[in-house]
Amino acid sequence: MLLRLLLFCMLATVATSTLAMTLYQSTDANGAVFFSDRHTPGSQAFVIQERRVEPVRRPLLQRPRAVNPRPAYRYPLPWRGGPFRLTQGPNGSFSHTDAKSRYAMDIAMPEGTPIIAARSGTVVKTENSQIGRGNDASGNFVRVQHDDGTQGVYLHLKQGSVSVRVGQRVAVGSLLALSGNTGNSSGPHLHFVVQQSTEAGLVSIPYEFNQPVGTLPNFAAGL
Ligand SMILES: [Zn+2]
C-alpha cells in the first residue's frame, strides 16, 4: 500500500513537471464527486494544463498617456529678425514673480523690431499712447484672445506703433506693432505672456516656443 502511494506521488510529480495532467472525474451513488488519475467506467477525463507565464516586459521609457489628447500649442517666435536673447524667463526674480507674469518671457531686441502674432485670435485690448515709463507698467501693449480662451499679451511696445485695433482678427504672423521700451522696462525688449481668465482674475500660464530662443532667426516668419 505504501509502495503504491509512493508510486502515485512519483507519477503525480512527473505529470506536474510536464505541465499537463489527466484527471478523471466520477460521481458515486451518493452524489459525491471524486477525482482520480485513473480511468474508471463512466468517469469524465480532464486535461489540466499549466500555462507558462511570460514575464510582462514594459519599455523602460514608456510614459503614461496624456489625459488631454490635444497637444499643447507651441508658439512661433512673435517677432521678425533676430536672433535675440532671452533675458528673463518664467519665475524670473526681477519681475516675473506675480500671478499675471509668472510664466512670461522677456526677449531683448532693438526698438522697432516687428512684433507679429504668435497665435491666431481676436484683438481685445490695446494701448498705444504711452511714452517712456508712463503710468502703466505694461507700457504699450496688444492683447489677443485665442480661440481656446487663453490670451497672448505683447508688452512694452513702441509708442504709436500698434497697427491693429480692438475686434480685429489676426493670424499667425500678422504684424501687431513694433517693439519698444515703454512701461516698467529696463531696456528695449518684448515681454510675451500667455494668460488665462480665472475667478481670481487673469493669471499667466506656462507656454513654450516652437524653437529655442537665441539660436536661429525665425526664417519661417519671413525676414
Ligand atoms: Zn517681463
Side-chain angles (χ1 to χ4, degrees), residues 88 95-96 101 104-106 156 189-192:
Q88 189 181 192
S95 62
H96 295 171
S101 62
M105 294 195 221
D106 287 342
H156 310 307
H189 79 283
L190 172 73
H191 168 113
F192 179 62

Side-chain angles (χ1 to χ4, degrees), residues 16 46 49 54 60 76 79 95 97 101 140 142 155 168-169 174 185 191 193 195-197 211 213 216 220:
T16 307
F46 287 92
Q49 251 176 331
E54 293 284 343
L60 284 174
W79 60 81
S95 62
T97 51
S101 62
N140 300 308
V142 172
L155 273 69
Q168 185 178 333
R169 185 84 193 161
S174 295
S185 177
H191 168 113
V193 64
Q195 295 177 333
Q196 176 97 57
S197 191
Q211 66 180 76
V213 177
L216 291 168

Side-chain angles (χ1 to χ4, degrees), residues 48-69:
I48 297 174
Q49 251 176 331
E50 286 183 37
R51 273 194 206 159
R52 263 192 81 179
V53 180
E54 293 284 343
V56 178
R57 290 186 189 177
R58 287 186 187 173
L60 284 174
L61 293 175
Q62 192 179 34
R63 292 183 183 176
R65 274 170 165 256
V67 177
N68 184 357

